[in-house]
Amino acid sequence: MRVIAGTHKGRRLEAPKGAHTRPTGDRVREAAFALLGPVDGASVLDLFAGSGALGIEALSRGARQCLFVDDDRAACRAIRQNLERLELTGAIVDCRDVVAVLRERRARGARYDVVLADPPYGRWDAFEQALGELVPGVLAADGVVAVESDARTEPQLPLDLVTTRRYGSARVTIFRHR
């Protein structure tokens, strides 16, 4: 797995060992960022971050900062190692439950220009209600959300659907504020 574009294009990323984390493939990451458009200067929230590939891609493409959230300790270690090896700044890794972090960030009034959500495949239903309740509250007025899911799942959020595209076994769905 490599960074696709930006200042760290071509640099290798490590993924946590085991079956708990499924890193976003290069092709899907490239497609997601083509759909998102430029992220220069953006504040990014990477939920269910896994290896950190999506947030690292955003930082490499010019995002100002990224908060990586995952409750798996091995995933958080991999993100920290990737950030350190690439010498990326503007990153914070929060190794806690995504829903708890979203509630806290919403209560603090935090806003993000880009929210990346890649919940475990086949588990969208377990997170859809909480994400639908909390993500709009942390999304900047002109913000955008990218959800990666398995190809059979069509994520729904109380935001405007921009597009949804299938890439093999994956689906990328883009939302904006209403």
Side-chain angles (χ1 to χ4, degrees):
M1 185 172 54
R2 297 183 185 279
V3 177
I4 302 300
T7 59
H8 292 79
K9 180 180 179 178
R11 300 282 303 271
R12 293 187 59 74
L13 298 174
E14 296 300 320
K17 305 291 186 243
H20 182 73
T21 302
R22 173 205 34 80
T24 299
D26 294 356
R27 179 175 170 236
V28 175
R29 245 179 311 119
E30 185 172 14
F33 279 89
L35 295 172
L36 283 170
V39 295
D40 295 327
S43 176
V44 178
L45 177 59
D46 187 353
L47 303 172
F48 310 96
S51 66
L54 288 169
I56 288 170
E57 188 72 39
L59 289 169
S60 180
R61 291 171 182 247
R64 176 175 40 87
Q65 63 183 16
C66 184
L67 172 60
F68 296 86
V69 183
D70 202 298
D71 64 358
D72 183 72
R73 296 222 181 274
C76 293
R77 252 189 322 276
I79 296 166
R80 287 184 184 105
Q81 289 170 348
N82 284 328
L83 291 167
E84 187 176 305
R85 190 172 50 257
L86 297 176
E87 298 176 346
L88 286 168
T89 58
I92 297 171
V93 180
D94 195 335
C95 199
R96 293 187 295 147
D97 175 69
V98 164
V99 174
V101 171
L102 278 170
R103 281 192 178 111
E104 178 183 285
R105 293 290 166 163
R106 183 181 68 177
R108 288 183 177 178
R111 296 290 180 264
Y112 298 91
D113 303 307
V114 177
V115 176
L116 307 167
D118 184 9
Y121 273 24
R123 302 248 356 255
W124 173 257
D125 291 345
F127 296 102
E128 184 172 35
Q129 182 176 350
L131 293 176
E133 173 192 329
L134 298 168
V135 167
V138 298
L139 189 62
D142 59 347
V144 63
V145 178
V147 175
E148 182 185 344
S149 63
D150 65 88
R152 295 178 311 275
T153 300
E154 294 188 27
Q156 301 292 315
L157 291 174
L159 300 165
D160 282 341
L161 174 65
V162 175
T163 190
T164 185
R165 308 264 176 94
R166 290 179 60 165
Y167 302 94
S169 64
R171 176 183 301 275
V172 175
T173 307
I174 306 295
F175 298 95
R176 290 196 184 279
H177 256 301
R178 293 193 163 161

